[in-house]
Every structure is written in C-alpha cells, then in structure tokens.
Amino acid sequence: EVQLVESGGGLVQPGGSLRLSCVASGFTFSNYWMRWIRQAPGKGLEWVANIKPDGSEKYYVDSVKGRFTISRDNTKNSLSLQMSSLRAEDTAVYYCARDTGTFDYWGQGTPVTVSS
Amino acid sequence: ENVLTQSPGTLSLSPGERAILSCRASQSVYNNNLAWYQQKPGQAPRLLISGASSRATGIPDRFSGSGSGTDFTLTISRLESEDFAVYYCQQYGSLPRTFGQGTKLEIK
C-alpha cells in the first residue's frame, strides 16, 4: 500500500523558517518525481515545488523561488521542503504527492501557519 | 501557462440526481492530459480520472470523464451522499501543471 506521511508543520513568525518532511512507503520512491502542493485556508490547490527522481532537477513556483528548497533522500525514502523567509501568504496545508503527471497519491497534509 | 476555469463555482443537487461539472482550458490540453480530483473537508484530494476519461483504481463507475481539446466534463450519474465534495480539474499536458479553482458540489 502506497503511503505518504508528512510532518514538520506548525506556527512560525513572519521571516522565520520551517522544514517539512514526507516519508514514502509502498512503492519504489527513487523511480518517481515528487511534488509539494499547498492549499491556503478555503482556497484551491497550488503546486509549490517538484523534484526529479535522482534529485538533479528541481522546479519552483515563482512565489517561493529563492525562499524554499526541495530535496530528497532516496536512501531514506524521504522528501523535504526547507522554507525560509516565510510570509503570511505561505499559510496553508502542505501536501506531498507522487508526481506521474497526475498526482496519484497524496499525504494527509501538514499545516503551516505564518503569524506573529 | 494553461489556465483552467471550472464551472459552476457551486452546484446544488439532491442525492440520485446527475451532476455535470465543466473545466475549460485557455489552451488546448496536449494529448487530453486532463485529470479530475475529489476533495472532502479535512482530507487530501483523491485522483478520480486521468487522461480525460480513465477512472483511477477503485473509482466507482458512476464517475465518468469526457471531452477533448479545451472543454472537459466530469459527470456523476447518480449522486450518493459521499459524493458531495469539491472537485478540481488539473492539466498535465504542459508545464507548469495547473489546477482549476474548483467546483463545490453541495446537497440541495
């Protein structure tokens, strides 16, 4: 059974940092692109970043470029999102998802709140 | 980028009725690479349809997708109580992958 389990969310002040993690199981993690997708309260879905299976290519939505870094450790079946210089508009539930073009498996999400 | 516009924003129907949800793309979706997702409150989205019309594993056959080019439709033939949720379309024919803004299907 495919499982994605996120952790690391929480309350952080504007300008602060946070590191999200996603641990995968039930499939060969190193064969798949992975993606972070977020959802602001009461809003729709927005992709944040994605990463190639070997980690050699990474892409970001413009609003997080230079502030967020996606990475992966295929030896630990884990995906990470290092977030810095956080802003109120980064407040959202962050999901990791397996990226096959469609997003066929999602984690349960981890909430991030940026507020003073 | 390929902007997806879903309509209506909210659809109010009763159990047993048919639901028709629309997703229109600003550019033709390459190879009809269009997916639909269902999201219930407090849950992650779930993939329903890929390739415009192929149901994902375990999705009941009351869900069907159709369309091509720029116009796509998700039809739920006979609504059950568990179908009331928010539905999103997503295109994966071009970069960046984009989502529609969602259609809320509510009980009338």
Side-chain angles (χ1 to χ4, degrees):
Chain A
E1 179 193 6
V2 172
Q3 283 198 316
L4 297 168
V5 180
E6 301 99 334
S7 61
L11 174 63
V12 61
Q13 292 188 340
S17 298
L18 211 56
R19 185 178 183 88
L20 307 183
S21 296
C22 170
V23 176
S25 61
F27 66 102
T28 305
F29 181 73
S30 59
N31 286 352
Y32 288 88
W33 285 78
M34 295 296 295
R35 188 174 292 247
W36 287 99
I37 296 167
R38 67 184 178 184
Q39 186 171 37
K43 301 297 184 181
L45 301 165
E46 177 186 43
W47 80 273
V48 175
N50 67 332
I51 186 168
K52 196 174 180 180
D54 65 1
S56 62
E57 294 180 28
K58 306 173 185 181
Y59 300 94
Y60 301 90
V61 68
D62 285 348
S63 59
V64 308
K65 282 180 183 175
R67 301 189 299 122
F68 290 12
T69 301
I70 189 171
S71 61
R72 66 192 295 161
D73 184 341
N74 288 342
T75 66
K76 297 181 179 178
N77 290 348
S78 71
L79 176 73
S80 297
L81 186 68
Q82 177 68 45
M83 305 186 294
S84 61
S85 302
L86 282 161
R87 306 167 180 167
E89 54 264 35
D90 296 318
T91 294
V93 175
Y94 285 73
Y95 297 99
C96 66
R98 192 172 80 169
D99 184 350
T100 58
T102 63
F103 310 120
D104 55 354
Y105 291 97
W106 300 62
Q108 84 287 353
T110 187
V112 172
T113 302
V114 183
S115 174
S116 55
Chain B
E1 71 178 43
N2 200 344
V3 177
L4 302 182
T5 302
Q6 293 186 241
S7 61
T10 301
L11 185 58
S12 299
L13 293 170
S14 300
E17 292 191 296
R18 171 179 294 206
I20 300 175
L21 287 66
S22 173
C23 177
R24 176 163 291 178
S26 62
Q27 308 164 30
S28 184
V29 178
Y30 175 77
N31 204 34
N32 296 327
N33 286 338
L34 192 287
W36 290 93
Y37 300 83
Q38 176 194 67
Q39 187 179 32
K40 298 179 182 180
Q43 296 185 17
R46 176 175 70 147
L47 177 66
L48 298 176
I49 300 284
S50 63
S53 61
S54 297
R55 278 188 301 277
T57 303
I59 302 303
D61 60 8
R62 64 180 182 274
F63 291 90
S64 63
S66 62
S68 64
T70 60
D71 290 299
F72 299 88
T73 300
L74 175 69
T75 301
I76 311 172
S77 58
R78 287 182 56 85
L79 285 166
E80 298 193 6
S81 57
E82 62 262 31
D83 299 336
F84 293 91
V86 178
Y87 292 83
Y88 294 94
C89 58
Q90 178 240 332
Q91 67 81 23
Y92 53 103
S94 61
L95 297 177
R97 313 300 191 210
T98 49
F99 290 98
Q101 83 280 13
T103 290
K104 181 179 181 180
L105 179 56
E106 64 177 24
I107 299 177
K108 187 174 182 180

